[in-house]
Amino acid sequence: MQGTPGRTPMPNTRLLVLFGSQTGTAEDVSERLSREARRREVGCRVQALDSYPVVNLINEPLVIFVCATTGQGEPPDNMKSFWRFIFRRNLPSTSLCQMDFAVLGLGDSSYAKFNFVAKKLHRRLLQLGGSALLPVCLGDDQHELGPDATIDPWLHDLWEKVLGPHPLPLDLGLSPPGIPWPSKFTLKFLQEVPSTCSEELCVAGTDPQGPPSELQPFLAPMVTNQRVTGPSHFQDVRLIEFDITGSGVSFVAGDVVLIQPENTASHVQQFCQALGLDPDQHFTLQPREPGVPCPTRLPQPCSIQRLVSQYLDITSVPRRSFFELLAYLSCHELEREKLLEFSSAQGQEELCEYCIRPRRTVLEVLCDFPHTAGAIPPDYLLDLIPLIRPRAFSIASSLLAHPSRLQILVAVVQYQTRLKEPRRGLCSNWLASLDPGQGPVWVPLWVRSGGLTFPKTPDTPVIMVGPGTGVAPFRAAIQERVAQGETGNVLFFGCRQRDQDFYWEAEWKELQTRGCLTLVTAFSREQVGVGGRGGTLGGADSPRPLALQEQKVYVQHRLRELGPLVWGLLDLRGAHFYLAGNAKYMPADVSDALTSIFQEEGGLSGPTAAAYLARLQRTLRFQTETWA
């Protein structure tokens, strides 16, 4: 069911944008929709799905749903109540017959249930009588240009539908320099430093109304920050432990901890200099339109120093919409011309070459356009630069083994592009820089359910495949299961070299000795004994003459070698299978290995083996947690 093509919009068109967001991307896209609506003089409200009274949908003429898909095809936390309501069986099929809608999905095509939430919501809204303006948009994190590769053309079509055959003239080249669309907020600078320290009051230890959350994180003391890779290993990986005594934080295996990072002092200083801002200046934030809330985490009043260090994501890679607004704000002819090119449909390959491929940051772009940066009105800071989003880490410990402690395994992200300065992950490098040995360190954090859930029924075996830092959630699961008396734990662990990045080697071997764990290893860059393979199963290795491996050995190779064990556990004992790690090649390789095992050990045909794997996924006996 599609909306009528090319119809004329009603006077005073008002648009409602509802989002379901887990990491903030869907919220960012929703705010972009709001900015584009303001440019087109279309009234627009933006709300999280669970904060919107869903019964009011019957009165909404025009709604855009922006929703992410998490884990195994689950809706984000802030739309779960809406999700339960909208799928009630007793809702009449004409409930939304007055509503035109469009659904924009955000997902990752490395997952089996790519954009599952958006697709399912689109179908359900049609079932309830809604008219779809457009087919569902399927944004993909795996695309070279990111979700914007799909979102940009979809939004172009959306505005044509919303505005009808006579849209407002929006040619960037005709817009007068220095006269952009209105900012969402105004910054009112204070003449004096406020006497009350609201900045210190906005983040307390715990929320008396409940467990810590994004709005009220727990300031957790960092206990240890230990490098666990060898000194000659190419990557710095840290095992970090926090004390959560008295926090109200509780978690089980598979849950994740969210951490709110900060920008470095040098980047903050560089940004303030580029924009001509006084870091010690205080301000209050006021929305231009009634009903628009201020960012909930931002204290009032706030200093520029705090805004830039803790809120503005100045080291993120800017999107096309950033260049679009920057072009509007620019009064410098040459810089504006280049910015217009980057924000045009024709300039996307050049934008990719300049910004996306080399991972150039917001701060670096602003330094490349100094005249424009120096003239940016402070009112536009929150329109121009996204807020720093919390980073999620798999919890690598169990409260049953480490009471009042929470541990994470963090790979410090640093890599080189064609730019001179190495690219550095904001959160991992910030965490690595903190040294509790030099004095007290507190890190704002909170916990939420993760994408992996482990069986509650006793005596159910689990097979876990966790190469590299992907092993982190499985350490939590193994600790928890061992404490509960469960011994059917099989771990396939892969890394480069056993003496460089074999995380928790001593712990695994001790559990093996106790009969609580079957450990299978694959060392892809290892020297091995002549006639051997780069991995072990069970007990200690006997010394053998060393030789280089003829080919690299990965976890999928070890799975195939132990096909009878894997098939027996899955088919005869109802085992659950888990996979965590890098999304690039490994998930597909492991799925191929499983399909081969089903054919070779179970005697299944190709199509039947594929159906068997799909059934494991559908019944949550095969779960994955991967990242790019």
Side-chain angles (χ1 to χ4, degrees):
M1 184 185 299
Q2 297 291 322
T4 306
R7 77 183 152 190
T8 304
M10 293 175 59
N12 301 318
T13 298
R14 282 195 63 80
L15 174 67
L16 173 64
V17 179
L18 297 175
F19 67 87
S21 186
Q22 195 74 14
T23 63
T25 306
E27 186 174 357
D28 284 347
V29 172
S30 299
E31 290 298 342
R32 175 183 171 183
L33 268 164
S34 176
R35 288 194 298 272
E36 294 198 9
R38 291 201 302 276
R39 284 178 55 201
R40 291 158 171 83
E41 300 180 8
V42 173
C44 182
R45 293 167 291 152
V46 176
Q47 280 187 252
L49 275 156
D50 276 358
S51 70
Y52 175 80
V54 65
V55 293
N56 291 352
L57 273 182
I58 60 173
N59 302 316
E60 298 289 354
L62 184 58
V63 186
I64 312 301
F65 296 87
V66 183
C67 45
T69 295
T70 68
Q72 317 302 314
E74 294 294 316
D77 290 343
N78 67 353
M79 68 176 284
K80 285 185 175 176
S81 297
F82 165 84
W83 195 249
R84 287 190 293 270
F85 181 91
I86 206 72
F87 283 97
R88 287 182 180 178
R89 294 184 178 181
N90 61 350
L91 295 179
S93 61
T94 57
S95 299
L96 302 178
C97 61
Q98 300 298 317
M99 185 181 79
D100 290 340
F101 74 90
V103 178
L104 190 163
L106 294 161
D108 185 322
S109 58
S110 68
Y111 282 79
K113 293 192 173 182
F114 171 56
N115 266 314
F116 179 79
V117 170
K119 295 172 185 175
K120 190 171 181 179
L121 177 60
H122 183 88
R123 290 194 298 269
R124 182 56 174 161
L125 296 172
L126 288 175
Q127 291 171 357
L128 296 176
S131 294
L133 293 172
L134 293 169
V136 62
C137 176
L138 304 178
D140 185 7
D141 272 344
Q142 292 296 318
H143 194 283
E144 183 181 33
L145 296 174
D148 285 351
T150 310
I151 292 172
D152 288 348
W154 189 86
L155 287 182
H156 178 271
D157 294 343
L158 174 71
W159 291 120
E160 284 193 347
K161 291 282 188 181
V162 170
L163 295 170
H166 305 294
L168 299 174
L170 291 167
D171 187 337
L172 290 174
L174 299 178
S175 175
I179 307 180
W181 60 89
S183 64
K184 189 173 183 179
F185 302 102
T186 59
L187 271 69
K188 182 180 179 183
F189 287 105
L190 307 179
Q191 298 302 313
E192 298 179 359
V193 177
S195 56
T196 57
C197 196
S198 65
E199 296 190 25
E200 297 302 323
L201 296 176
C202 76
V203 177
T206 50
D207 182 357
Q209 302 304 315
S213 64
E214 182 172 6
L215 298 183
Q216 190 107 37
F218 175 66
L219 291 178
M222 182 182 285
V223 179
T224 58
N225 187 347
Q226 174 191 2
R227 176 169 174 146
V228 290
T229 43
S232 62
H233 191 60
F234 78 101
Q235 187 164 45
D236 181 358
V237 177
R238 302 297 180 96
L239 176 60
I240 299 176
E241 182 173 80
F242 301 101
D243 183 353
I244 55 171
T245 302
S247 66
V249 167
S250 180
F251 55 87
V252 296
D255 287 351
V256 298
V257 62
L258 290 104
I259 292 176
Q260 190 68 45
E262 297 180 10
N263 290 310
T264 66
S266 61
H267 283 157
V268 172
Q269 181 182 20
Q270 192 178 359
F271 179 87
C272 289
Q273 287 175 347
L275 274 71
L277 297 170
D278 178 1
D280 296 324
Q281 182 97 49
H282 283 70
F283 64 90
T284 57
L285 200 64
Q286 298 173 343
R288 286 191 183 272
E289 296 181 10
V292 175
C294 291
T296 47
R297 292 192 297 111
L298 198 69
Q300 296 265 34
C302 181
S303 67
I304 291 292
Q305 169 76 30
R306 178 157 185 158
L307 174 70
V308 181
S309 65
Q310 297 184 21
Y311 294 91
L312 299 183
D313 199 354
I314 59 176
T315 62
S316 62
V317 177
R319 297 176 177 174
R320 177 178 169 182
S321 55
F322 169 88
F323 292 92
E324 188 178 17
L325 178 53
L326 205 57
Y328 268 87
L329 296 172
S330 179
C331 294
H332 188 274
E333 185 177 351
L334 289 177
E335 291 184 1
R336 176 177 163 84
E337 184 179 336
K338 194 63 180 177
L339 291 166
L340 287 171
E341 183 179 345
F342 285 148
S343 58
S344 69
Q346 298 76 26
Q348 289 313 286
E349 179 55 38
E350 191 169 349
L351 175 61
C352 189
E353 186 62 29
Y354 166 71
C355 189
I356 297 172
R357 288 194 187 104
R359 312 302 292 168
R360 200 181 300 268
T361 68
V362 165
L363 178 57
E364 288 169 330
V365 171
L366 291 173
C367 290
D368 282 350
F369 293 85
H371 299 92
T372 301
I376 294 173
D379 287 355
Y380 285 90
L381 288 175
L382 289 165
D383 290 276
L384 189 65
I385 303 170
L387 297 181
I388 296 174
R389 296 297 177 185
R391 270 52 168 186
F393 295 91
S394 296
I395 297 174
S397 58
S398 168
L399 288 172
L400 299 181
H402 301 275
S404 301
R405 292 289 190 269
L406 187 154
Q407 297 179 355
I408 56 176
L409 190 66
V410 180
V412 182
V413 177
Q414 181 171 320
Y415 58 95
Q416 200 73 47
T417 66
R418 61 179 174 81
L419 301 180
K420 181 180 178 181
E421 186 70 19
R423 307 294 90 188
R424 294 182 173 90
L426 175 62
C427 190
S428 62
N429 280 270
W430 176 68
L431 286 170
S433 73
L434 303 176
D435 183 2
Q438 299 297 312
V441 173
W442 291 276
V443 172
L445 58 79
W446 62 99
V447 166
R448 66 165 167 79
S449 299
L452 301 176
T453 55
F454 292 87
K456 299 291 190 292
T457 51
D459 301 323
T460 301
V462 295
I463 303 169
M464 297 159 282
V465 179
T469 56
V471 76
F474 302 141
R475 181 178 182 246
I478 291 168
Q479 287 184 351
E480 190 170 282
R481 286 172 57 82
V482 168
Q484 294 167 341
E486 299 290 344
T487 58
N489 306 305
V490 180
L491 174 64
F492 287 80
F493 173 73
C495 65
R496 292 192 171 210
Q497 296 171 304
R498 75 183 72 210
D499 64 343
Q500 293 296 317
D501 54 340
F502 191 175
Y503 311 126
W504 299 303
E505 177 183 10
E507 185 172 326
W508 302 141
K509 290 186 174 179
E510 191 267 335
L511 289 171
Q512 275 185 254
T513 303
R514 289 167 50 191
C516 299
L517 176 68
T518 299
L519 174 66
V520 184
T521 56
F523 304 109
S524 64
R525 308 296 197 277
E526 187 85 310
Q527 287 185 323
V528 297
V530 174
R533 299 295 303 274
T536 60
L537 168 64
D541 303 315
S542 57
R544 294 171 291 186
L546 292 179
L548 289 174
Q549 292 178 172
E550 293 182 5
Q551 63 180 28
K552 295 174 182 175
V553 176
Y554 296 111
V555 286
Q556 60 266 25
H557 300 128
R558 302 291 281 146
L559 277 168
R560 290 176 188 266
E561 289 174 15
L562 295 169
L565 170 68
V566 173
W567 174 252
L569 288 172
L570 287 172
D571 198 60
L572 300 178
R573 297 190 56 195
H576 289 219
F577 189 98
Y578 298 89
L579 171 65
N582 190 284
K584 193 168 186 182
Y585 301 118
M586 187 265 299
D589 290 339
V590 168
S591 294
D592 289 344
L594 284 176
T595 304
S596 295
I597 290 169
F598 300 160
Q599 292 175 268
E600 293 166 13
E601 305 301 331
L604 305 183
S605 66
T608 307
Y612 190 99
L613 183 63
R615 186 165 65 253
L616 291 178
Q617 293 171 329
R618 189 170 60 252
T619 57
L620 297 184
R621 285 182 56 206
F622 178 18
Q623 299 179 37
T624 61
E625 185 168 87
T626 60
W627 52 86

